[in-house]
Amino acid sequence: MVIQEASDGAPDRSPGAVDGRPRAAVVRDSLGVGVAVGLSGFAFGVTAAGAGISVLQACVLSLLVFTGASQFALVGALAAGGNPFTAAAGAFFLGTRNAFYGLRLSQLLALPRAVRPLAAHWVIDETTAVALAQPDRRSARLGFTVTGLALYVLWNLTTLLGALGAEAIGDTAAWGLDAAGPAVFLALLAPMLRSTTERAVAALALVLGLGFLPVLPAGVPVLIAALAAPAVLWMKGRRSPEGERS
Amino acid sequence: MNVWIAIGLTVVGCYAVKLAGLLVPAGALERPVVRRLSALLPVALLAALTAQQTFSTGHELVLDARAAGLAAAGVALLLRAPFLLVVGAAVVVTAAVRALGG
């Protein structure tokens, strides 16, 4: 209830609030997503520790990067011996999708310019999904805020606990914890493989990523694998000249 | 030191793209090609990262207990298990295969 009162200060009887959802329902959905995903910080803390990242470094990543796939990609690339520039480039490319979330959210939430630099930090998959699922602006703002807050607090807390825990038990490989990273990537990837285009991109990226691994410096094969996206788009465009269906 | 450089670049880069989305005029990124690419880029990166972290140690391709763990994660995903259960299945199966196989 407290969270409801502390929302964004939008007028209670704004146009559209008539068919809007009750605040309690928005808060419940937002907390559900925030808690479920926030707990995955454990997996990140553990993976980071297994990759030889210090507890402080893992916590700084969760506090300041706060976009899971990029964080996993960075520690994975560093663990594989990648140099800081290729490792950061992979993490950056994974983060570019957040720009497109921001585009849609800026119209939906209509945030004041002064608030945008703060709100930007919470523009990620989950907050976007919850905000876009709401029927009106007031609910969308509330959903974005509650999801962002719950996720941010839990993600950082569980990152710390996971990193401390993994460090305490020593050999993370003996406990199978080195499988957490790839399992996370698979779980993020699976729902994206909807059409043949996505599957073709994934298959080509897999071949490129593994094929170049033995011959190129660590981190570079992933960036080459990223070229699977434009390559498949280009091949599709050649097959059907009007291929720009959106 | 290298780790801190990578962290610094990632912090700046990831925040910049988030902020860019909220600040740029909608038209700038709305071209269909750009949108399609931005949807497909994560697919390519995640596929490559999954494969590399399952089937390699640094510069060598290997097949070890992690493959069994990833298969378990795949089964959990097909059964629509929650996220943490998927990761847990991979960890437990990988540890079990290592314990059995030495």
Side-chain angles (χ1 to χ4, degrees):
Chain A
M1 291 301 123
V2 174
I3 295 166
Q4 289 184 35
E5 299 310 321
S7 83
D8 47 68
D12 272 339
R13 290 279 165 251
S14 60
V18 185
D19 47 294
R21 300 176 65 205
R23 288 178 154 212
V26 179
V27 170
R28 197 169 51 233
D29 288 358
S30 307
L31 286 178
V33 172
V35 170
V37 181
L39 290 178
S40 333
F42 274 119
F44 175 69
V46 162
T47 304
I53 303 289
S54 75
V55 175
L56 176 66
Q57 288 165 336
C59 288
V60 166
L61 280 171
S62 280
L63 283 167
L64 299 182
V65 175
F66 190 56
T67 175
S70 294
Q71 293 178 226
F72 276 104
L74 184 75
V75 301
L78 290 172
N83 77 51
F85 300 102
T86 52
F92 174 79
F93 283 131
L94 269 176
T96 51
R97 72 190 185 291
N98 291 329
F100 294 86
Y101 296 155
L103 269 186
R104 303 185 60 183
L105 287 178
S106 73
Q107 291 155 352
L108 179 68
L109 302 177
L111 297 169
R113 280 197 98 76
V115 179
R116 289 184 195 184
L118 275 177
H121 198 44
W122 286 357
V123 174
I124 54 172
D125 307 75
E126 292 81 12
T127 51
T128 307
V130 171
L132 291 177
Q134 306 307 323
D136 61 301
R137 175 165 296 158
R138 204 185 57 146
S139 305
R141 283 179 168 182
L142 182 63
F144 177 83
T145 308
V146 175
T147 309
L149 185 66
L151 227 165
Y152 192 70
V153 169
L154 273 175
W155 176 258
N156 281 289
L157 204 63
T158 51
T159 294
L160 175 65
L161 294 177
L164 286 174
E167 214 182 50
I169 64 170
D171 183 5
T172 51
W175 295 87
L177 296 182
D178 54 340
V184 168
F185 287 133
L186 189 66
L188 292 170
L189 174 65
M192 297 182 186
L193 299 178
R194 280 173 305 231
S195 74
T196 46
T197 307
E198 277 90 6
R199 289 181 197 144
V201 168
L204 181 58
L206 192 150
V207 170
L208 291 172
L210 289 182
F212 282 105
L213 188 89
V215 291
L216 288 176
V220 180
V222 173
L223 300 184
I224 290 179
L227 295 177
V232 167
L233 270 190
W234 182 74
M235 285 187 281
K236 243 189 98 186
R238 275 180 57 109
R239 277 218 316 251
S240 53
E242 79 285 11
E244 281 311 332
R245 294 153 302 203
S246 59
Chain B
M1 193 59 219
N2 269 353
V3 175
W4 282 116
I5 294 172
I7 289 173
L9 291 171
T10 306
V11 166
V12 173
C14 285
Y15 180 72
V17 288
K18 286 177 180 175
L19 187 62
L22 284 182
L23 293 185
V24 299
L29 293 174
E30 284 294 318
R31 288 174 54 210
V33 177
V34 179
R35 291 181 54 171
R36 289 293 286 150
L37 257 186
S38 81
L40 289 176
L41 213 49
V43 173
L45 286 163
L46 289 172
L49 286 164
T50 308
Q52 286 194 356
Q53 295 192 14
T54 306
F55 301 109
S56 83
T57 52
H59 267 301
E60 282 173 34
L61 300 182
V62 291
L63 187 64
D64 64 14
R66 287 171 297 174
L70 198 76
V75 171
L77 279 171
L78 288 177
L79 297 174
R80 300 183 175 278
F83 183 83
L84 278 183
L85 208 64
V86 172
V87 179
V91 169
V92 169
V93 169
T94 303
V97 170
R98 283 210 180 106
L100 293 171

